[in-house]
């Protein structure tokens, strides 16, 4: 009980902190010193329970303490409040230590281990039996394969990757490197911009539609499952709990009408568009019940709509983590068992995208879901499948070879583009900074961006459902801004945001973004008038609204450092735009610490690399 009390005291102390401050880090380290002993006790008491049927009071106390809040199943790690992050670490290390020990000792059969995992899911989460059962059935064989193939893998190592930074530093066993060719030293920020002119390319950026075939208008929007507003719960008895025709701010994905309206409205309002970037996540958040056939039906319907509406327009899609089945997991190519392999997705994707991409792209799509295309002479598109870096892609525990090989392909493709005098736009689903991508992947990706920052004229990402951007800095000197990534936000409302898409104006000399517009509609307004189609409107033009001379990395760094970091009103505008003016965010309190969190997210290029963030936090906000 002493260990339990010690852990509880650390958690209570941290739970009031909103920032990952130095104080929080020290208290988290204090917790980590004790969690190993806690896990040992948990294993002992739970094992006695499974063998003798004796459930001790201490086991009940431990399970109660590890109860995870709903946000753990609905948000990215970097969005967890401190207490949820720490509880996730305690639960991860304790339950995995138990299951790994039982698996390797042979004391429990695989079916019994699934039963144990089901019981733990029911006790530690807010999910019902259908969700817990579905998640375990979909993922258990993957873990069995990995634990069998990697007999030295420990619970501590697993949790250090899955909860990187929040559960101890990722173990060095997961490190890998990419061969990066030498380039000139970085001695200044990347600057310069062409004059605005009517010949600029117009590019639309659509992301994260998350079409849910089970969406029910009037469905229950306040459910404990990962996604709500679905037919399984029927019409909500309380009108306040009912989902609207045009989406819902709560944890609900998109009905087909919302998906179709977004695509058709984008085409109607921008008839002269030259290209469309689509950065993944077409499938809904029903992660406990996915099937190959179900995912394909969703993707087919979306792709067919885009082909029809944007006929004759260049379309460049990438895969999201939700396209895999099970969700998030992308097995290496040599894993060929039908219940584990992801080859079905690559083969389907190669065929589905063949009307948009040249035949030369087929080989790499079938190999790993990535490709490159020369959009026009001097301008190249490189599209990655960087879902293999996702911390919830369990196969990163098995092998880093695939991570390295795709990044090496990226490097080599950029090297060839450099030699040909080309400029490049880089598309991928998951932002490389923050906490979603494995730390070592982010580090190696950043090395490649640094090497080729002169020819990479923009990165375009999705996943976060936020209309945001990330400025990349030189590793050796964070005063030098060298690149940036624009996030497309989401046409879904999951969660608390209005649907949006982005339009870029791109110069035809260096292919740098000259202006960025965000287009949205208000869920509140649309659902007050459900019989009419939503009113899409331009929420803001980035350069015009913030009065920025250009959108080069140097100019964006100056804007972040000397404007957002010091001007509370503009930082609050950025916060509003980031969340597409979603009413729940607009009505919530975001104090200066909260605003600085959103400021820091702009400048983090690797998980745990906070030099630029710390610099910005030290500036006075007035």
């Amino acid at each position: 009980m002493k260990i339990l009390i010690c852990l509880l005291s650390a958690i209570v102390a941290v739970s009031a902190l909103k920032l990952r401050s130095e104080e929080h880090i020290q208290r988290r380290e204090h917790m980590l010193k004790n969690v190993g002993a806690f896990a040992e006790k948990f294993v002992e008491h739970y094992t006695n329970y499974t063998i003798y049927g004796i459930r001790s009071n201490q086991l009940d106390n431990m399970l109660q303490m590890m109860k995870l809040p709903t946000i753990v199943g609905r948000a990215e790690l970097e969005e967890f409040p401190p207490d949820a992050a720490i509880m996730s670490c305690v639960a991860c290390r304790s339950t995995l230590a138990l299951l790994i020990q039982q698996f390797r000792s042979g004391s429990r059969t695989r079916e019994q281990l699934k039963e144990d995992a089901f019981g733990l899911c029911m006790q530690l989460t807010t999910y019902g039996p259908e969700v817990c059962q579905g998640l375990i059935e979909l993922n258990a064989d993957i873990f069995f394969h990995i634990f069998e193939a990697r007999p030295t893998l420990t619970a501590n190592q697993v949790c250090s990757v899955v909860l990187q930074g929040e559960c101890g530093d990722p173990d060095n066993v997961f490190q890998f490197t990419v061969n990066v060719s030498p380039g000139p030293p970085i001695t200044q920020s990347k600057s310069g911009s062409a004059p605005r002119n009517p010949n600029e390319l117009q590019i639309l950026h659509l992301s994260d539609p998350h079409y849910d075939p089970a969406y029910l208008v009037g469905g229950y929007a306040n459910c404990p499952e990962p996604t709500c507003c679905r037919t399984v719960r029927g019409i909500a008895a309380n009108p306040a709990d009912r989902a609207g025709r045009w989406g819902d701010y709560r944890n609900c994905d998109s009905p087909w009408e919302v998906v179709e309206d977004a695509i058709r409205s984008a085409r109607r309002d921008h008839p002269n568009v030259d290209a469309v970037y689509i950065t993944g996540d077409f499938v809904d958040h029903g992660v406990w019940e996915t099937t190959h056939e179900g995912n394909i039906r969703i993707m087919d319907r979306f792709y067919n709509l885009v082909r029809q509406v944007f006929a004759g327009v260049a379309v460049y899609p990438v895969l999201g983590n939700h396209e895999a089945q099970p969700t998030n997991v992308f097995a290496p190519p040599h894993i060929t068992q039908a219940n584990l392999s992801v080859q079905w997705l690559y083969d389907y994707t190669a065929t589905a995208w063949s009307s948009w991409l040249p035949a030369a792209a087929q080989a790499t799509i079938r190999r790993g879901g990535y490709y490159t295309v020369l959009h026009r002479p001097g301008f190249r598109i490189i599209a990655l499948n960087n879902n293999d870096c996702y911390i919830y892609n369990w196969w990163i525990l098995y092998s880093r070879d695939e991570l390295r090989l795709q990044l090496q392909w990226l490097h080599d493709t950029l090297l060839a583009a450099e030699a040909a005098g080309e400029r490049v736009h880089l598309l991928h689903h998951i932002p490389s900074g923050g906490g979603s991508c494995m730390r070592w992947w982010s580090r190696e990706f950043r090395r490649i961006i640094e090497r080729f920052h002169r020819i990479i004229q923009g990165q375009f990402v999705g996943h976060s459902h936020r209309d945001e951007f990330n400025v990349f800095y030189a590793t050796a000197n964070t005063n030098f801004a060298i690149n940036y990534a624009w996030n497309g936000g989401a046409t879904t409302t999951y969660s608390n945001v209005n649907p949006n898409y982005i339009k870029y104006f791109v110069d035809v000399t260096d292919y740098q973004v000259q202006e960025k517009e965000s287009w949205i509609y208000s869920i509140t307004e649309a659902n007050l008038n459900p019989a009419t189609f939503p009113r899409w409107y331009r929420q803001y033009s980035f350069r015009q609204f913030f009065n920025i001379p250009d959108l080069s990395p140097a100019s964006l760094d100056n804007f972040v450092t000397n404007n957002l970091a010091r001007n509370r009103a503009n930082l609050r505008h950025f916060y509003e735009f980031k969340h597409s003016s979603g009413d729940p965010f607009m009505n919530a309190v975001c104090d200066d610490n909260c605003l600085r969190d959103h400021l820091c997210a702009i400048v983090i290029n690797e998980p745990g690399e906070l030099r630029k963030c710390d610099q910005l936090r030290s500036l006075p906000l007035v």
Side-chain angles (χ1 to χ4, degrees):
M1 284 302 294
K2 183 177 181 182
I3 296 169
L4 177 61
I5 293 169
C6 184
L7 275 169
L8 277 170
S9 65
I11 291 159
V12 169
V14 173
S15 63
L17 300 175
K18 294 183 180 179
L19 300 175
R20 299 298 194 266
S21 62
E22 186 64 33
E23 181 183 3
H24 165 69
I25 293 170
Q26 291 174 359
R27 293 176 190 241
R28 181 179 59 204
E29 292 303 313
H30 177 67
M31 178 276 299
L32 288 172
K33 290 179 181 178
N34 293 280
V35 69
F38 177 90
E40 287 182 10
K41 281 291 182 184
F42 177 79
V43 171
E44 175 188 337
H45 282 263
Y46 206 96
T47 300
N48 286 338
Y49 169 57
T50 59
I51 295 174
Y52 305 112
I54 300 172
R55 183 161 172 151
S56 66
N57 290 334
Q58 187 166 355
L59 177 59
D60 284 337
N61 290 335
M62 288 177 166
L63 289 168
Q64 182 60 38
M65 191 198 77
M66 290 190 292
K67 185 81 172 181
L68 300 173
T70 304
I71 191 174
V72 170
R74 289 176 171 166
E76 293 299 299
L77 178 62
E78 59 264 34
E79 296 177 313
F80 288 8
D83 55 335
I86 288 180
M87 280 289 68
S88 296
C89 177
V90 175
C92 180
R93 287 179 59 167
S94 299
T95 57
L96 271 182
L98 169 72
L99 296 172
I100 290 174
Q101 182 189 91
Q102 291 181 335
F103 175 76
R104 291 193 175 134
S105 69
S107 61
R108 304 282 283 174
T109 67
R110 294 192 177 196
E111 287 306 312
Q112 288 173 324
L113 285 171
K114 288 182 182 180
E115 291 173 5
D116 291 341
F118 174 80
L120 291 168
C121 178
M122 290 294 293
Q123 294 174 90
L124 299 182
T125 74
T126 58
Y127 301 152
E130 296 85 1
V131 175
C132 284
Q133 190 67 44
L135 287 173
I136 291 160
E137 287 298 329
L138 286 172
N139 289 275
D141 286 343
I142 299 169
F143 281 104
F144 290 150
H145 185 98
I146 292 171
F147 292 149
E148 194 167 53
R150 299 289 179 263
T152 61
L153 190 65
T154 68
N156 291 3
Q157 289 174 330
V158 173
C159 299
S160 76
V161 170
V162 175
L163 297 168
Q164 55 182 338
E166 295 293 351
C167 210
D169 289 331
D171 196 297
N172 286 334
V173 72
F174 298 110
Q175 285 214 51
F176 67 95
T177 57
V178 174
N179 295 322
V180 177
S181 57
I186 298 173
T187 58
Q188 61 183 0
S189 291
K190 182 178 178 180
S191 60
S193 178
R196 298 296 307 274
N197 66 81
N199 295 322
E200 292 169 346
L201 296 179
Q202 297 182 31
I203 298 176
L204 292 183
H205 186 179
L206 307 169
S207 197
D208 295 76
H210 286 290
Y211 162 46
D212 188 356
Y215 188 98
L216 176 65
V217 177
Y220 186 60
N222 285 316
C223 74
E225 288 87 33
T227 188
C228 305
C229 303
R230 311 185 95 209
T231 54
V232 66
R233 287 183 174 268
I235 300 295
N238 184 349
D241 292 331
R242 292 175 186 167
R245 177 186 177 187
W246 298 110
D248 198 284
Y249 283 127
R250 289 160 288 193
N251 300 291
C252 305
D253 285 313
S254 298
W256 180 249
E257 279 192 302
V258 166
V259 176
E260 184 172 21
D261 184 65
I263 300 298
R264 294 192 182 281
S265 295
R267 181 57 163 160
R268 179 197 66 221
D269 293 336
H270 312 285
N272 298 319
V273 63
D274 297 283
V276 181
Y277 297 165
I278 309 180
T279 48
D281 270 3
F282 313 107
V283 178
D284 62 80
H285 286 80
V287 296
W288 67 96
E289 57 183 13
T290 57
T291 64
H292 294 177
E293 297 76 16
N295 286 11
I296 287 173
R297 281 194 298 271
I298 288 172
M299 289 185 283
D300 269 346
R301 193 172 190 187
F302 182 85
Y303 295 151
N304 288 337
L305 175 66
V306 173
R307 284 191 200 96
Q308 175 195 350
V309 175
F310 286 100
V313 177
V315 175
Y316 301 112
V318 299
L319 290 171
N321 56 295
H322 279 262
E323 276 71 87
Q325 197 278 333
T327 307
N328 306 326
V329 292
F330 290 76
H334 66 271
I335 301 295
T336 58
Q337 296 96 309
N339 63 328
L340 302 179
S341 174
V342 75
Q343 192 59 49
W344 68 272
L345 177 59
Y346 298 150
D347 289 340
Y348 162 78
T349 299
T351 301
W353 294 354
S354 61
S355 61
W356 295 317
L357 305 176
Q362 287 277 312
T364 54
I365 295 174
R366 291 186 187 277
R367 184 164 70 234
Y370 52 93
Y371 62 89
T372 184
V373 173
L374 192 65
H375 177 78
R376 59 192 292 181
F379 179 32
R380 179 168 297 278
I381 307 296
I382 300 178
L384 294 179
N385 172 19
N386 79 328
N387 298 290
D388 56 4
C389 82
Y390 197 26
I391 55 175
Y392 302 134
N393 174 26
W394 314 130
W395 291 103
I396 61 178
L397 305 168
Y398 173 84
S399 170
R400 266 71 60 206
D401 288 345
E402 289 67 39
L403 304 180
R404 181 182 59 79
L405 289 173
Q406 186 181 170
L407 285 176
Q408 194 66 59
W409 173 87
L410 170 63
H411 169 277
D412 296 347
T413 304
L414 286 166
L415 191 64
E418 182 182 63
E422 296 168 352
R423 296 294 183 262
V424 173
H425 280 186
L426 182 58
L427 281 56
H428 48 102
H429 178 64
I430 298 181
S432 61
S436 295
C437 262
M438 179 190 184
R439 178 175 296 181
W440 312 125
W441 191 97
S442 295
R443 180 194 65 188
E444 296 304 294
F445 179 75
R446 187 180 183 185
R447 290 178 64 215
I448 296 171
I449 297 300
E450 286 193 31
R451 168 61 183 85
F452 297 102
H453 73 277
R454 290 173 177 81
I455 69 167
I456 299 172
Q457 297 300 78
Q459 301 173 53
F460 303 86
V461 301
H463 187 67
S464 74
H465 300 191
R466 301 293 183 261
D467 177 5
E468 56 189 340
F469 67 102
N470 186 224
V471 180
F472 279 67
Y473 295 88
T475 303
N477 190 333
T478 56
N479 290 319
F480 299 151
I482 59 172
N483 216 257
Y484 52 69
W486 298 107
N487 198 304
T491 59
T492 186
T493 61
Y494 192 105
S495 296
N496 300 318
V497 295
N498 287 314
N500 86 296
Y501 63 83
I502 306 296
K503 181 180 181 181
Y504 307 103
F505 295 86
V506 176
D507 82 77
V508 294
T509 303
D510 280 336
Y511 300 99
Q512 180 174 295
V513 173
Q514 297 282 70
E515 180 61 288
K516 172 213 165 191
E517 297 178 350
S518 181
W519 289 68
I520 69 171
Y521 74 77
S522 165
I523 287 291
T524 299
E525 177 187 287
N527 284 334
L528 286 174
N529 304 282
T532 61
F533 286 92
R535 178 182 64 90
W536 286 89
Y537 63 94
R538 183 176 60 186
Q539 184 189 24
Y540 72 101
S541 295
F542 193 103
R543 182 173 167 180
Q544 179 184 37
F545 183 90
F546 290 112
N547 193 27
I548 302 173
D550 60 67
L551 296 183
S552 67
S555 185
L556 286 173
D557 171 59
N558 182 64
F559 167 63
V560 171
T561 304
N562 296 311
N563 188 318
L564 287 188
R566 304 169 190 265
N567 186 313
R568 184 179 292 106
N570 274 347
L571 185 53
R572 194 166 293 280
H573 281 308
F574 169 74
Y575 168 83
E576 176 182 346
F577 295 154
K578 177 176 179 175
H579 300 101
S580 304
S581 299
D583 286 356
F585 279 106
M586 298 307 96
N587 296 330
V589 174
C590 186
D591 60 16
D592 284 355
N593 283 339
C594 165
L595 290 174
R596 286 192 177 100
D597 274 347
H598 293 283
L599 176 70
C600 275
I602 298 172
V603 299
I604 294 176
N605 302 150
E606 296 177 43
E609 214 284 64
L610 302 177
R611 285 177 295 166
K612 191 68 177 182
C613 168
D614 290 340
Q615 175 190 337
L616 297 183
R617 275 183 174 153
S618 68
L619 299 175
L621 190 61
V622 295

